[in-house]
Amino acid sequence: MLLVVGAVLLIVGYLALTPLGYLLWGTFFDEGGFTLRFFEEALSQQDFAEVALTSFAFSGGATVLAMVIGCALAYLLVRTDIALKRVIFAGSLVPLIVPSILQVISWIFLLAPRTGFLNRIAASLSLGPFDIFSLPGMIFVEGMGLAPLVFLLMAAALRSMDPSLEESALMSGANLNTVIRRVTLPIVRPALFAALLIMGVHSLQAFETPAILGIPDGTWTFTSRIWNSLHGFPREFGPAGAYSVMLLALTGVGVFLHSRLTKRSTAWQTVTGRGYRPRPIELGRWRGPLTAAALGYVVFVVVLPLMIMFFASFQPYFAAISVAATENLSLDNYRLIFERRNILRSTQNSLVLGISSATFIMFLTAVAAWLVVRTRVAGRWVVDNLTFLPIVVPGLVMGVALLFVYLRHPVPIYGTLWILFIAFLTKYMPYGMRFASSSMFQIGVELEESARMSGASWWQSFRRIVLPLLFPGLIAGWIYVLVVSIRELSTAILVYSPGNEVLAVEIWELWQDGRLTQLAALGTLMVVALLALAGLAYKIGSRIGIRETALEPAPLPGEL
Amino acid sequence: MLTVEKLSKSFADGQNQIVAVNDVSFEVPDGKLFTLLGPSGCGKTTTLRCIAGLESPERGLIKVDDRVFFSSKTGKRIKPNERGLGMLFQSYAIWPHMTVYDNVAFPLVVERRGQRRSKAAIRERVEKVLTTVQLQRVADRPATDLSGGQQQRVALARALVLEPPLLLLDEPLSNLDAKLRGDMRLELKRLQREIGITTVYVTHDQAEALAMSNLVAVMSEGAIQQVGSPRDIYSRPASRFVADFIGSSNFIEGSIEQRDPDGCYVVRTAAGLLRASSTLDYSVGDTAVVSIRPEHVELKLGAPPSTEPNVWGGIVVMRGFLGEAFDHLVAVGPVQVRARTNPAGSVSRDEKVTILLPSDACSLVPGD
């Protein structure tokens, strides 16, 4: 037992602490000792104030947009009798599975100033064009990407709320308006603030939207700046580190506030009833219009971008849907994709990395969760916090930190798949921990104790009792980590090297080369595969009773 | 007076329609505490929620005095927030973001403009109600700081603050621990009798129902099985379900032997003859079940002096100590009868005994 637990502790501690340690050390120290030189360099860049302001405007705008849409959807679907609930529910969650780089590019297909499908329609009505390569465009795209996450968080909050709190207000004579204003909103307020902070952290960490939509227009944010200082030669580690530390500080504050908030809000939990089926609120004559609006959202934000990508994948070059365009349909892009030099290697890399890191993470976090949930070992909260620590670190910053470590370290893993493996392990460890610890809570301690009483050693009871019982939860977590690792670009973008690309990087390179229609073909294939994986996770999740968490994209930072 | 007539309500559960309330009718006279008693899933809570307006029934009529809340005939349906009733929820439903005072004042604060009282009048009224439930001292505390019993009283004060014509209580004591439940039971009863408010009380706890109610309606599978005073229901159960659900009972099966002019029946059972009374009509030869409570069975040492109905001889096969009483299992031929005595009247195992089953404690209920 000591051997296994000790090894797990060492690995978790190493994964969580080395990158951050090196990042701070590399940013605050140079050959001459402690220095703030790199911060001075970063701060003295003439547009620093502008970059900071843009980052905040981008993050704030996207957060507000996501909150408005997500909260409205959650209330309509959880508490009212809106029609077509299942369709709208499933539709709203699809963007959580589609890689964000593909979402951003689909929006370009739709809203590029001259060629975008929707802008063409707008032009024929002599409206607009709406330029997506702008700050409002970035806010719109990021907001639409984050809205499903708000929806999930708020739906969970509304569902866990005792319906008799609202019913007793009704019985007191209050009308629906008053009930929402004076009872529902104040009670879900902690959840609202929590969601607000999570969205703030997420949008500050976002890389794809600022890089793809912001850079062409000269609209810089922290993340695109970090990438910019590192992707050319010579790499400017100093300013990149300084920007990373500033970004880390911001997300750290967000996560800290969130954990404070969730701790305090447990004091608000009241006795709940034996779960009388909540009565959905009748929308009356608003039922039709509101159903249409929610359905419109799903069509516009989910179906249309996927359709346009699917359509573009059959075109020789990107053109909006038209009679002329439909005559040019061919499978050439799919052929070209398969002929691409690295494509098989990248697919293989994505799968090998995803499967191996998912497997390793789930085993690691199963032991860590056992330690945290089951034992009374002093200092187990340290393990708990260490496994969650990487959640504060934006994917891009994780890349920077790992470069700091392995470019100055004797271990020769830079330029191999191993550095990607370590990056994925570290970045996705918190997700695995969330699945492992929540399933650990569901296993009665006496099951394990009776195994010990039957004469099993610790390892025997862990392997033969705990692991099999955790298995469904671990599988759900495993698939989740696999999906995220294939989906995410920002963790890989800085640490890959030629020959070690993964699929998300492949898409990024297609974008950089301007091969948009080939990108659409590869994207279509990826979306189909990821949807199939997510469907599998959902099935397993619903069998073990964690329907939504199987699709939930991130452990809430508050669990730090 | 609350009137409920031919109330029916069903739910869709996947493909199936489940009838939760089936043609239920009852009346609650002014000032009385009326209890809907039954196992979970019997439709008692649904009935209460239909009265509250939180559920829409398919058919029936609900009115308080002359004010119709719901009528399937005229299509009338008043919203729950316009019915002006008081309701106490199982979970108390105390709003965690408000103080005790704000919780109780809420119904007054949200009153329609024009009817709304002045701030001072609201304060006066809230303080009066808080005094009634003995919470005046904690008025400014956050409501979630209070204990379960105190939260319960906050919820009660909130339900009473508008002086509603009808108070609805949905299993209000089930979240309290056993000791507190006993205290709150008496407290609730005292308050209800003092204020004289007409009350509908839902519970699955028979002791609660018997201790508190003026009238009890026992429900099963969406229908009312029997309505009566707690004493009636206990000592004269109209069906095997009621006898079994309330307290514990001996069920002795037999057939009707003869009908006496005084309305009593003589029943032949495997253990001997029994005289029993019934509210229903039986003909000679019908199968029937005699129900008698263990504490109504009298136990004496020694064989019976003579054979006559309701006096049987048997052997004690088992005895259990219950603290304030002894439980005996007496074998009379193939029939086993439970008899409960105080410790002084107890008889040890294997003794021959005479058991007396008083005919006024024997109720005849229909066989299966």
Side-chain angles (χ1 to χ4, degrees), chain A residues 107 109-111 115-123 300 304:
Chain A
W107 283 114
F109 288 150
L110 288 171
L111 287 172
T115 50
F117 172 58
L118 292 176
N119 271 331
R120 289 265 187 107
I121 296 179
F300 181 66
L304 204 55

Side-chain angles (χ1 to χ4, degrees), chain A residues 182-205:
Chain A
R182 301 193 66 143
V183 174
T184 316
L185 271 179
I187 285 172
V188 298
R189 190 173 292 149
L192 271 176
F193 278 132
L196 201 70
L197 285 169
I198 294 171
M199 292 314 121
V201 169
H202 264 264
S203 51
L204 274 176
Q205 296 187 349

Side-chain angles (χ1 to χ4, degrees), chain A residues 465-518:
Chain A
I465 306 293
V466 180
L467 276 186
L469 288 171
L470 278 182
F471 200 65
L474 295 184
I475 285 287
W478 187 86
I479 294 178
Y480 179 73
V481 171
L482 184 61
V483 168
V484 178
S485 73
I486 295 176
R487 180 183 185 270
E488 258 214 51
L489 170 67
S490 60
T491 310
I493 188 79
L494 286 177
V495 292
Y496 82 93
S497 46
N500 291 320
E501 288 93 348
V502 289
L503 280 173
V505 170
E506 203 73 43
I507 298 227
W508 172 255
E509 287 186 343
L510 284 167
W511 158 253
Q512 296 272 312
D513 297 348
R515 298 175 205 266
L516 289 183
T517 51
Q518 288 180 41

Side-chain angles (χ1 to χ4, degrees), chain B residues 100 104 126-139 141 146-147 149-154 156-157 160 183-184 186-188 190-191 194:
Chain B
V100 170
V104 176
V126 172
E127 274 165 6
K128 186 160 174 257
V129 179
L130 281 176
T131 311
T132 317
V133 297
Q134 296 165 6
L135 283 177
Q136 65 277 29
R137 291 231 218 95
V138 296
R141 297 254 296 274
L146 305 186
S147 68
Q150 286 174 317
Q151 290 195 14
Q152 175 71 276
R153 288 191 298 203
V154 175
L156 184 63
L160 291 175
D183 296 347
M184 271 309 288
L186 291 176
E187 177 69 13
L188 257 182
R190 184 185 66 77
L191 269 172
E194 216 171 86

Side-chain angles (χ1 to χ4, degrees), chain B residues 142-256:
Chain B
T144 44
D145 278 8
L146 305 186
S147 68
Q150 286 174 317
Q151 290 195 14
Q152 175 71 276
R153 288 191 298 203
V154 175
L156 184 63
R158 182 177 64 193
L160 291 175
V161 75
L162 277 178
E163 301 180 69
L166 183 66
L167 179 64
L168 306 173
L169 306 173
D170 183 10
E171 308 230 11
L173 303 180
S174 60
N175 272 324
L176 301 175
D177 60 58
K179 176 88 173 65
L180 197 56
R181 197 179 311 159
D183 296 347
M184 271 309 288
R185 193 156 79 190
L186 291 176
E187 177 69 13
L188 257 182
K189 180 172 179 174
R190 184 185 66 77
L191 269 172
Q192 190 270 334
R193 302 292 197 270
E194 216 171 86
I195 304 170
I197 185 171
T198 314
T199 303
V200 180
Y201 189 101
V202 161
T203 183
H204 64 276
D205 182 328
Q206 40 128 342
E208 226 167 271
L210 297 179
M212 297 184 62
S213 320
N214 298 112
L215 281 169
V216 178
V218 183
M219 283 187 80
S220 161
E221 292 175 0
I224 291 185
Q225 301 286 320
Q226 188 178 2
V227 184
S229 72
R231 281 199 95 112
D232 273 356
I233 297 270
Y234 188 79
S235 51
R236 311 228 64 86
S239 69
R240 189 167 179 157
F241 174 83
V242 173
D244 202 23
F245 187 73
I246 296 180
S248 52
S249 223
N250 290 297
F251 293 111
I252 306 164
E253 288 173 19
S255 60
I256 308 288

Side-chain angles (χ1 to χ4, degrees), chain A residues 162 164-176 178 182-183 186-187 267-274 276-277 279 282, chain B residues 11 45-46 49 52 54-55 77 80-81 85 89-98 106-107 109-110 144 158 162 171 174-175:
Chain A
D162 181 355
S164 64
L165 291 171
E166 285 180 329
E167 287 173 349
S168 60
L170 272 181
M171 292 306 294
S172 300
N175 60 29
L176 185 58
T178 315
R182 301 193 66 143
V183 174
I187 285 172
W268 278 41
Q269 283 167 3
T270 48
V271 197
T272 48
R274 244 173 303 157
Y276 195 86
R277 207 172 35 90
R279 185 187 68 116
E282 289 163 25
Chain B
F11 291 113
T45 296
T46 307
R49 290 171 63 88
L54 295 171
E55 297 288 348
R77 187 191 151 203
N81 50 323
L85 306 179
F89 289 80
Q90 186 180 7
S91 61
Y92 322 145
I94 293 295
W95 299 306
H97 59 296
M98 297 184 190
F106 185 86
V109 173
V110 299
T144 44
R158 182 177 64 193
L162 277 178
E171 308 230 11
S174 60
N175 272 324

Side-chain angles (χ1 to χ4, degrees), chain B residues 113-132:
Chain B
R113 264 173 234 283
Q115 286 171 16
R116 203 180 297 166
R117 308 161 207 218
S118 68
K119 273 225 156 100
I122 290 179
R123 175 156 287 276
E124 192 186 339
R125 175 69 195 142
V126 172
E127 274 165 6
K128 186 160 174 257
V129 179
L130 281 176
T131 311
T132 317

